[in-house]
Amino acid sequence: DVKVTQSSRYLVKRTGEKVFLECVQDMDHENMFWYRQDPGLGLRLIYFSYDVKMKEKGDIPEGYSVSREKKERFSLILESASTNQTSMYLCASSPRGQGVNEQFFGPGTRLTVL
Amino acid sequence: EDQVTQSPEALRLQEGESSSLNCSYTVSGLRGLFWYRQDPGKGPEFLFTLYSAGEEKEKERLKATLTKKESFLHITAPKPEDSATYLCAVQAPNTDKLIFGTGTRLQVFP
């Protein structure tokens, strides 16, 4: 079974802090994704990585950056956390370019910025 | 613009009362349509992939169908443990990214 793990289930940070969210997958998938999920807005893509050190902006990249130094690990960085970044953050992975690619999700990190 | 719309936003059913959830999509050249289940406070769990119009997939009390414009998730004789949010997503050509709908929150009461 595909397993995607995220470093924290719940996180509370202060405004202005630098925040790191880590995601690890064990299925050797090329693609990894970071989403945020807010009530009424659904899942919105923040960043996408299709290979080590490769990244592509999603729909809402402002205020975020990412790092992918190893194939299995994809980090989301909030450079200076703000209250409007309070949300559920979801990481996902999928194979690359083999036709139809379902994504497999981690358990999510509920981030609260005070 | 590629888009996914799910209806209804919320659905309350009595245990055993069958119903359907709708996912309408506009995308040129659909590569695949996905259904996920999400429990509160957890990540989405993959249920089905549908590839072409006319295809059907079943899992326990759930059956997913696909036409050229929409997909239905039929729930037969639901139980309280089927309560969750059900998400639909589509994959367009030349991309590995998915476009998600906002989901249908299903509550099944005993």
Side-chain angles (χ1 to χ4, degrees):
Chain A
D1 281 350
V2 174
K3 191 166 184 182
V4 180
T5 57
Q6 295 183 229
S7 51
S8 305
R9 293 299 310 275
Y10 300 95
L11 210 51
V12 179
K13 295 292 181 181
R14 298 273 180 198
T15 302
E17 280 192 79
K18 191 168 186 176
V19 181
F20 294 86
L21 303 182
E22 300 279 328
C23 175
V24 178
Q25 51 95 4
D26 66 358
M27 284 301 293
D28 202 36
H29 285 166
E30 292 83 4
N31 295 332
M32 295 188 76
F33 307 82
W34 275 107
Y35 296 90
R36 65 176 283 177
Q37 186 176 32
D38 301 288
L41 297 178
L43 273 76
R44 291 181 291 168
L45 182 65
I46 304 171
Y47 266 99
F48 160 45
S49 170
Y50 51 91
D51 204 345
V52 174
K53 297 190 186 294
M54 305 305 289
K55 62 186 178 184
E56 187 176 308
K57 290 180 181 179
D59 300 317
I60 51 164
E62 297 79 18
Y64 303 95
S65 62
V66 290
S67 172
R68 190 150 180 220
E69 297 296 320
K70 293 185 178 181
K71 189 175 185 180
E72 68 271 17
R73 189 179 297 268
F74 192 33
S75 301
L76 179 70
I77 303 151
L78 286 65
E79 297 290 344
S80 176
S82 64
T83 54
N84 63 13
Q85 293 179 309
T86 291
S87 186
M88 170 71 113
Y89 289 87
L90 292 162
C91 175
S93 73
S94 76
R96 181 182 174 193
Q98 296 175 17
V100 180
N101 298 321
E102 52 265 18
Q103 294 180 12
F104 297 91
F105 285 83
T109 296
R110 171 72 65 183
L111 173 67
T112 301
V113 182
L114 302 176
Chain B
E1 181 186 349
D2 298 336
Q3 200 166 343
V4 177
T5 303
Q6 290 188 247
S7 62
E9 287 186 17
L11 183 62
R12 294 164 57 98
L13 297 174
Q14 205 71 32
E15 184 171 4
E17 180 187 1
S18 301
S19 188
S20 296
L21 282 54
N22 178 263
C23 171
S24 299
Y25 62 90
T26 53
V27 62
S28 301
L30 179 75
R31 282 173 69 181
L33 184 140
F34 308 89
W35 282 99
Y36 288 84
R37 170 192 170 124
Q38 186 175 24
D39 293 303
K42 298 189 177 180
E45 174 189 346
F46 170 72
L47 291 173
F48 303 111
T49 304
L50 300 168
Y51 298 89
S52 58
E55 188 176 6
E56 298 183 353
K57 293 267 179 83
E58 285 190 66
K59 181 179 180 179
E60 296 181 356
R61 294 175 292 281
L62 301 176
K63 183 167 85 171
T65 62
L66 181 64
T67 73
K68 288 187 178 180
K69 293 184 178 180
E70 58 192 348
S71 175
F72 292 95
L73 186 65
H74 306 279
I75 303 176
T76 302
K79 298 182 177 181
E81 53 261 43
D82 295 322
S83 297
T85 295
Y86 291 85
L87 299 172
C88 171
V90 298
Q91 183 177 0
N94 303 314
T95 180
D96 287 341
K97 292 186 280 190
L98 301 184
I99 303 163
F100 282 86
T102 52
T104 293
R105 184 164 51 88
L106 173 67
Q107 293 177 288
V108 182
F109 295 91

